Amino acid sequence: MKDTALLIFQKNPELGKVKTRLGATIGDERALQIYHQLIEITLSAAIKTPFDILVFYSSFVPQDAPSSLIIGKVQNGKDLGQKMKNAFHEVFSSGYQKALIIGTDCPEISESILSQAAQELDKHDLVIGPAEDGGYYLLGMNTLQMELFEGIEWSTESVLELTLAKAEKIGLRVSLLERLNDIDTEEDLRKLILKKPEYESVFGYHR
């Protein structure tokens, strides 16, 4: 049996197609630059873990892989829930005991948080990293729970609340990680830098 798979959902970085809400106020080119930095931060944390890393791209697998440690895939499904469900199904079907999924929006992600998430699955059915915007930056499980991906309006402030309600209804043991910031808007960026000023130089953004 394989142990842990780390699934990273990433949009292919194209001008005007990523971080559009951020781009609406700071410009598409700056938003794309910040998105590239978010990807770099995410992958840097991921490759420090002992997990198998699978990057699920939104459109296509680029020819130049960011690392030989990474397996490239393409997301498959009509909405985010279906895409995540299909990705989890794929890795569990190939023999993994645990699977974690993250996006590329959370600059506070770290190797220690990812390792903690995997450890929590030794004694819980589900591990969730809550995001400040009402969603989650990480979801992990040790068996596919399809109900968690159905009947949820994605990219809204109710995603976490509805997910927890579904988990309680089906009797899952849930572990919650620390709450972190996702970066979707300029206000998110301001809040992050207010909380952790070192990110001001990372993103080249001044309040």
Side-chain angles (χ1 to χ4, degrees):
M1 292 285 286
K2 303 174 185 177
D3 187 43
T4 303
L6 175 59
L7 290 59
I8 302 175
F9 263 40
Q10 178 188 318
K11 287 187 177 180
N12 293 86
E14 298 177 77
L15 185 66
K17 295 185 178 180
V18 295
K19 293 290 153 215
T20 52
R21 285 190 287 164
L22 180 61
T25 57
I26 70 169
D28 288 339
E29 289 190 6
R30 283 292 294 121
L32 180 60
Q33 290 170 0
I34 287 173
Y35 189 61
H36 276 293
Q37 289 163 316
L38 287 168
I39 292 170
E40 187 176 329
I41 289 167
T42 304
L43 294 180
S44 177
I47 61 177
K48 290 175 185 174
T49 71
F51 312 143
D52 289 348
I53 303 166
L54 298 91
V55 177
F56 284 79
Y57 296 93
S58 58
S59 304
F60 60 91
V61 177
Q63 290 185 336
D64 298 326
S67 168
S68 59
L69 302 174
I70 291 170
I71 300 167
K73 302 276 187 179
V74 177
Q75 298 169 23
N76 173 36
K78 292 181 179 179
D79 62 17
L80 180 59
Q82 194 175 87
K83 290 174 182 178
M84 289 195 293
K85 179 174 67 175
N86 289 340
F88 272 118
H89 180 266
E90 182 174 340
V91 296
F92 283 129
S93 296
S94 64
Y96 286 96
Q97 295 175 295
K98 305 174 187 175
L100 308 173
I101 194 165
I102 60 174
T104 50
D105 303 324
C106 183
E108 295 178 281
I109 200 72
S110 66
E111 182 272 336
S112 61
I113 290 172
L114 295 171
S115 296
Q116 180 190 355
Q119 291 168 6
E120 291 298 320
L121 290 175
D122 290 332
K123 47 185 183 270
H124 297 88
D125 305 303
L126 196 67
V127 58
I128 300 176
E132 292 283 0
D133 62 5
Y136 51 76
Y137 62 86
L138 179 149
L139 181 70
M141 57 186 75
N142 42 37
T143 185
L144 180 58
Q145 303 290 342
M146 292 191 292
E147 298 94 332
L148 301 181
F149 305 103
E150 298 166 358
I152 290 180
E153 189 176 348
W154 300 99
S155 300
T156 67
E157 60 186 19
S158 62
V159 170
L160 176 64
E161 181 183 357
L162 290 172
T163 302
L164 289 173
K166 285 176 177 289
E168 182 178 10
K169 185 176 180 180
I170 56 183
L172 299 180
R173 296 168 298 167
V174 181
S175 172
L176 290 176
L177 304 174
E178 62 180 298
R179 190 176 296 270
L180 299 178
N181 290 274
D182 272 345
I183 303 300
D184 292 310
T185 67
E186 188 175 9
E187 183 60 25
D188 293 336
L189 200 53
R190 285 199 189 100
K191 287 179 181 177
L192 173 68
I193 291 170
L194 191 62
K195 178 181 174 184
K196 295 188 174 180
E198 62 268 26
Y199 283 100
E200 190 168 27
S201 60
V202 171
F203 293 114
Y205 176 85
H206 306 290
R207 289 172 286 164

